[in-house]
Amino acid sequence: MSSPHLQTYEQRAKKHGNPAARKLLETMERKKTNLSVSVDVTKKKDFLAIIDVVGPFVCLIKTHIDIIEDFDQTVIEHLQELSVKHDFLIFEDRKFADIGNTVALQYSSGVYKISSWAHLTNAHAVPGPSIITGLSSIGLPLGRGLILLSEMSSKGALTTGSYTEDAVRMARSRRDFVVGFIAQKRMDGIGAIEADDVTEEDFLVLAPGVGLDSKGDAMGQQYRTPREVVLESGCDVIIVGRGIYGKSDQLDVENVRKQAERYRQEGWSAYLERVSLSP
Ligand code: S5P
């Protein structure tokens, strides 16, 4: 069998053991999109307006729920309604990074109760395997999936070399719950030892740092194009924020729609080209 990234999302969906990952792959195939929009705005009105406009073009909406200034429970209710209306999954980019007991509380409790509405969330590998134990105690019974950050897009990131390898090893030992990585390239077989059976492993790679019109920002973000990310580096989902909604102080809904269509098209054609390389 060819490497996972040369198979179609549909083929991969059929074999995936985790329900959230399976649903994401099925949605990508059904809607013909590997675009995730990162909705990093601070007003609930803008947050929901952007999601309603980009909804038809995405497989996944990525949130930073704690940056919404006028947050109340209706934000979650509306977000869930939009997820049904437009057929997308929800990924809370929480970047957990604490001991197992603390992350279990942060995931399930507090103001946001992330585990009750986010199909996917993510975590840093810094604390070691106990972070997966803590999060899975909450997320696994709910059918959720976890993404580990094995590489970051920012300039000077420390997520390189043996750190990346160890993060992948942590994921490999918990494939029931860890469904993929935030990374800049495929992680297939990274850090594997001879005893590891990596033939069946299929981690989704979600890549942030994607932009068509800019190479970066003033705070260390670095952008590559959907083609570089999907075709050349084998990533599965492109995460795009400001490339789609711009600066967001003056929301231009028509332009947001246009950009979402444009990124969907770029990401999907790079994917079609990639799977056409399958032997
Ligand atoms: O390495 C990373 C990991 C993440 S999750 N680099 C990132 O940029 N992100 C997130 O992706 C970041 O927190 C932001 O929400 C999004 C990128 O936004 P953009 O506006 O730069 O496209």
Side-chain angles (χ1 to χ4, degrees):
M1 191 47 104
S2 53
S3 161
H5 74 293
L6 296 179
Q7 299 165 33
T8 66
Y9 296 135
E10 188 176 24
Q11 288 168 331
R12 295 166 64 183
K14 288 201 176 98
K15 289 180 296 185
H16 222 292
N18 177 282
R22 203 162 51 232
K23 195 166 173 206
L24 178 61
L25 286 160
E26 286 166 357
T27 305
M28 291 161 80
E29 188 72 43
R30 186 168 56 247
K31 291 180 73 179
K32 303 205 178 327
T33 176
N34 50 22
L35 172 64
S36 170
V37 174
S38 177
V39 195
D40 300 343
V41 295
T42 56
K43 300 275 186 295
K44 74 177 173 190
K45 187 165 150 284
D46 293 343
F47 177 76
L48 295 170
I50 291 172
I51 296 172
D52 202 15
V53 168
V54 304
F57 309 107
V58 302
C59 55
L60 187 67
I61 286 288
K62 186 174 86 59
T63 59
H64 282 298
I65 205 69
D66 60 352
I67 66 175
I68 299 180
E69 289 166 357
D70 47 355
F71 177 86
D72 58 43
Q73 289 306 322
T74 66
V75 175
I76 301 300
E77 286 161 24
H78 288 310
L79 174 61
Q80 288 180 310
E81 281 164 20
L82 290 170
S83 138
V84 173
K85 174 179 171 190
H86 295 299
D87 185 21
F88 59 74
L89 278 77
I90 305 166
F91 168 26
E92 165 57 22
D93 184 4
R94 175 59 179 77
K95 296 189 181 70
F96 291 101
D98 213 321
I99 62 165
N101 184 61
T102 302
V103 295
L105 291 168
Q106 291 171 324
Y107 189 24
S108 63
S109 308
V111 175
Y112 302 115
K113 301 179 180 39
I114 294 164
S115 61
S116 72
W117 51 270
H119 303 92
L120 298 174
T121 190
N122 56 358
H124 285 295
V126 175
S130 57
I131 194 166
I132 306 178
T133 312
L135 292 169
S136 68
S137 72
I138 302 295
L140 204 53
L142 296 170
R144 308 302 189 203
L146 182 68
I147 305 286
L148 279 188
L149 286 107
S150 62
E151 285 179 335
M152 290 196 73
S153 63
S154 42
K155 217 170 277 173
L158 308 182
T159 48
T160 59
S162 62
Y163 180 89
T164 299
E165 288 181 19
D166 285 335
V168 179
R169 282 193 200 106
M170 275 172 55
R172 190 170 286 132
S173 65
R174 284 304 307 272
R175 280 174 41 209
D176 56 340
F177 188 54
V178 183
V179 301
F181 300 101
I182 295 288
Q184 297 294 308
K185 60 175 182 299
R186 293 211 68 74
M187 297 280 120
D188 300 341
I190 285 186
I193 53 165
E194 239 171 76
D196 290 332
D197 178 11
V198 295
T199 51
E200 288 300 308
E201 103 184 8
D202 180 3
F203 290 112
L204 295 168
V205 181
L206 282 56
V210 176
L212 282 162
D213 304 318
S214 159
K215 286 278 146 220
D217 67 10
M219 298 189 198
Q221 176 66 299
Q222 306 177 105
Y223 292 120
R224 295 187 301 153
T225 65
R227 200 180 156 79
E228 286 172 304
V229 164
V230 174
L231 184 61
E232 293 169 23
S233 301
C235 302
D236 297 307
V237 173
I238 54 171
I239 296 175
V240 187
R242 288 164 289 177
I244 285 183
Y245 54 78
K247 289 207 164 42
S248 87
D249 39 359
Q250 276 283 306
L251 203 57
D252 175 349
V253 171
E254 230 358 88
N255 193 46
V256 172
R257 186 194 323 276
K258 226 189 285 169
Q259 294 304 327
E261 273 189 282
R262 177 179 177 225
Y263 277 92
R264 188 210 66 84
Q265 169 63 35
E266 290 283 332
W268 193 254
S269 63
Y271 158 73
L272 289 181
E273 201 171 324
R274 181 173 99 190
V275 291
S276 77
L277 301 173
S278 179

